[in-house]
Amino acid sequence: MSTHSTDQSSYPRADVAPPSGTLFPHKHLLGIWGLDPTAIKHLLDVADGYVDLNRQAIKSTETCRGLTQINLFFENSTRTLMSFEIAGKRLGMDTISMSTGTSSIKKGETMLDTAATLNAMHPDVLVMRHGDSGAVKLLSEKMDCAVINAGDGRSEHPTQALLDALTIRRRKGSIHGQTIVISGDVAHSRVARSNIYLLNAMGARVRVVAPPTLLPADVDRLGVEVFHHMEKGLEGADVVMMLRLQSERMQGAFLPSLREYFHFWGLTREKLRAAKEDVLVMHPGPMNRGVEIASDVADDLDRSAIEEQVEMGVAVRMACIDVLTRNLRKEAAS
Amino acid sequence: MKTAFTNARLIDPATDYDGPGTIIVDGNIIEASGPDVATDQAKTVVDCGGRVLCPGFIDMRAHAVDPQSALAGGITTIILQPDQTSIIDTDAVVERIRHRSVDSQVVSVYPMGAATQGMRGEQIAEIGQMQQSGAVAFTDCNRAVANAQVMRRLLEYANHFDALVVQFAENPELAAGGVAHEGETATRLGLSGIPVAAEVIQIEQDIRLAELTGARLHFALISSREGVDVIRRAKAKGIKVSCSTAPHYLHLNDNALEGYRTFAKVRPPFRSDDDRVALIEGLADGTIDTLVSDHSPKSQDVKRLPFAQAADGIVGFETLLALSLAPVHSGKLSLMTLLKTLTSNPATLLGLPTGNLAPGSFADFVVFDPNKPSRISEKNMISAAKNTPFDTLPVQGEVWKTIADGVTVFERD
């Protein structure tokens, strides 16, 4: 018998307004760590509204008209960058994207100079991705505007965790009490970290399943159950989140081969039998078919929520930009 | 011209003397010291007001010579590490540093030579000639000599000259890419970790080689409980090993990295709190022989970077005494044991003439008030670089006067 209570009423109620009256009392969105359930729920609620908007023919709004958004990506990305750009445009913002590969701007020194330069152009929202853990936080100290972390090193990727949470909430009704399995390269994954913090904060039961070489030290201290066997980890799972296996980890010291990895940890229909009948399969993308996930599982319309995640991504990013610029827009209106 | 320092609490760690007394300095030599010394011949009499008077501190690991900053910390002898702009791996460089030190006559600077050429860990450096020119020990500084064959030959060769080999205990393969202690904090912050085993494996391997060769071996900057335990056992077996740590490892654990504070980025990394406590225990029972500042001034430019890219290091000269006194004030360490690690122990290990108050020896000593409360303040630091994680920390203990070569070179009200 699990000691983990699934009684809904036992969990702190996230729908009670905090004493300060502000549902999201933060200037930046640097990570899920440090956000309370109220703030997370608020972002998800706002995002829920944007899902409907995004399904209409006329999708753009005037919500943030006149504000400037800069997307600064120090790491290659297509889907996250696109998602942020679309989110900004649908809110009526002036969106500028700048993608510099890790090679051209490498030194953080230059990064801080870039920050100062951008700051002088008075953006209202800066979305940033960087290959070093903590780089976005460092940069946010130099910026006057709201900073959204679009992924820093192995540290955090908060909007990915939020869109995953929104997907689960819409599909499963709630996050609280769900058994959620995160499987794959947890050690090098910022997605895993942000998801662990968020799902724990919202009262889910989180498991990680991976070979020992792909688990970071003391990962159990983050409040997760650790499994090495896929079948055991999947037992009774409501949701399975697969992580992308970076190609540079595929060979060499971490894993013997892709074939072996797929054999033991690849998500297949057979292994999925251990999970609940209505299990939800998720993946942050882009997928390595036949490495961490079998094609028939990924394309299973009843269980796979992978495309829905992408849809939720735009809504969640609109919500983040909306919430972070609310004070600013109130100031502008008065 | 004679000067008397009266009404002091004399502590001479070399002879275990701790009691009231007076010191007479004649020129640059201590003429007499002890409780019943006549002061009538002295031209100047300095009343120490009951403060502690002990030999000037010997800092066995500094990456820069910062004389004024060192003197403010009571340090009269600096052991310079070979990781300078031009690596200290030839007798010519050693000689230049020694000459400059003798000429300046303020702080004594003795260099450690590189243990291998260019600190590359492949070929043994010219240990004999460097030693003749004044190098006091041999180390590759912040790189371990990891190749067991090279290390074995290095120890054998150095043993012939009775030269001390100083090893940085960190297995390079296990530590590759790591920037923090492997544990919960590093996992949460998404930083790649250095496991404790990286330190322990290197120590264990080298202890075997020290046993095999009979050479003297010193481990710089021990950071973990396991590391202390292994060295304790080796000492009990009679193997000629010794080790050091730095006072910041007695104060901080890996929680200090919270918020990606690069001022807490050091090598080896701050480890768990259990390790921190074990280091204090190791100091108290004599397993850890010396305390070093690991003084490495770093500018904002190399510190204000994403954590993984930022430079390691802390400025340590001026905080050495105050930070080291904390375990004394909390009753975990005796003042005598602490002062041994700062004076007589490094002097013995390196064969230096200083580190004692015996009549006839050089008048290098420090007078300090062990109880005076103050706050560490980067604004008040003399050092040009201010990279310390201890800014605003309340501490007890302050240097009052530093006397080097018979001259009062630093004093405070």
Side-chain angles (χ1 to χ4, degrees), chain B residues 16 22 24 54 68 79 87 91 110 113 175 193 196 207 358 364 401:
Chain B
D16 280 318
T22 295
I24 309 283
C54 72
Q68 294 313 314
I79 311 300
I87 291 170
D91 50 335
Y110 293 91
V196 168
I207 282 175
D364 280 358
K401 275 183 199 301

Side-chain angles (χ1 to χ4, degrees), chain A residues 39 56 83 96 103 146 150 154 175 198 202-203 273 285 287 292 296 298 312 321 328 331:
Chain A
Q56 293 169 14
S83 186
I96 293 127
S103 55
R154 310 169 178 183
I175 299 166
L198 189 149
M202 300 306 280
R273 283 207 190 99
M287 281 182 283
E292 67 253 0
D296 58 340
M312 295 305 129
I321 295 168
L328 196 68
E331 275 168 30

Side-chain angles (χ1 to χ4, degrees), chain A residues 130-321:
Chain A
H130 196 280
D132 278 314
S133 304
V136 179
K137 180 192 173 284
L138 179 65
L139 178 125
S140 73
E141 290 162 9
K142 294 266 175 190
M143 299 296 292
D144 298 324
C145 71
V147 174
I148 298 177
N149 183 356
D152 63 326
R154 310 169 178 183
S155 169
E156 285 237 37
H157 191 355
T159 55
Q160 179 69 42
L162 286 164
L163 74 89
D164 289 339
L166 184 62
T167 312
I168 296 170
R169 201 175 78 165
R170 287 174 63 97
R171 280 285 194 108
K172 295 282 178 185
S174 78
I175 299 166
H176 182 95
Q178 307 280 341
T179 300
I180 299 172
V181 174
I182 300 176
S183 172
D185 186 0
V186 178
H188 303 96
S189 173
R190 51 191 173 218
V191 176
R193 283 175 178 78
S194 287
N195 263 314
I196 288 169
Y197 308 147
L198 189 149
L199 296 170
N200 270 331
M202 300 306 280
R205 180 174 172 172
V206 187
R207 298 175 182 170
V208 293
V209 187
T213 48
L214 295 181
L215 285 172
D218 294 341
V219 66
D220 53 316
R221 297 290 295 271
L222 301 183
V224 298
E225 292 172 83
V226 180
F227 291 86
H228 299 304
H229 286 282
M230 197 70 178
E231 284 84 353
K232 282 185 193 153
L234 285 173
E235 232 168 68
D238 296 292
V239 180
V240 187
M241 292 180 164
M242 298 307 294
L243 299 171
R244 180 178 161 76
L245 191 66
Q246 299 288 335
S247 53
E248 60 265 32
R249 326 258 185 246
M250 289 179 189
Q251 285 99 28
F254 291 98
L255 295 169
S257 72
L258 295 187
R259 204 172 71 95
E260 178 147 325
Y261 183 75
F262 184 70
H263 179 74
F264 288 108
W265 291 281
L267 191 65
T268 58
R269 203 171 278 277
E270 291 72 50
K271 292 199 190 96
L272 211 49
R273 283 207 190 99
K276 281 191 184 154
E277 190 58 38
D278 60 344
V279 66
L280 191 66
V281 176
M282 300 170 70
H283 193 295
M287 281 182 283
N288 296 308
R289 289 168 183 267
V291 178
E292 67 253 0
I293 190 162
S295 272
D296 58 340
V297 176
D299 300 334
D300 183 342
L301 286 177
D302 297 330
R303 289 163 162 185
S304 168
I306 295 169
E307 275 164 45
E308 198 175 328
Q309 284 174 274
V310 180
E311 185 192 355
M312 295 305 129
V314 177
V316 155
R317 282 158 189 141
M318 288 171 79
C320 293
I321 295 168

Side-chain angles (χ1 to χ4, degrees), chain B residues 174-246:
Chain B
L174 281 172
V179 293
H181 168 61
E182 187 174 289
E184 187 191 345
T185 305
T187 294
R188 191 158 48 68
L189 294 177
L191 300 172
S192 43
I194 301 174
V196 168
E199 178 169 302
V200 184
I201 286 176
Q202 195 63 53
I203 294 174
E204 283 180 331
Q205 172 177 316
D206 294 331
I207 282 175
R208 298 283 170 200
L209 296 174
E211 198 177 11
L212 178 72
T213 57
R216 294 194 298 144
L217 176 60
H218 179 88
F219 294 102
L221 297 179
I222 297 301
S223 67
S224 68
R225 175 178 286 278
E226 293 269 319
V228 176
D229 284 348
V230 172
I231 292 168
R232 188 180 287 127
R233 284 199 295 274
K235 283 188 163 185
K237 255 175 100 178
I239 302 166
K240 288 185 270 182
V241 289
S242 55
C243 65
S244 69
T245 193

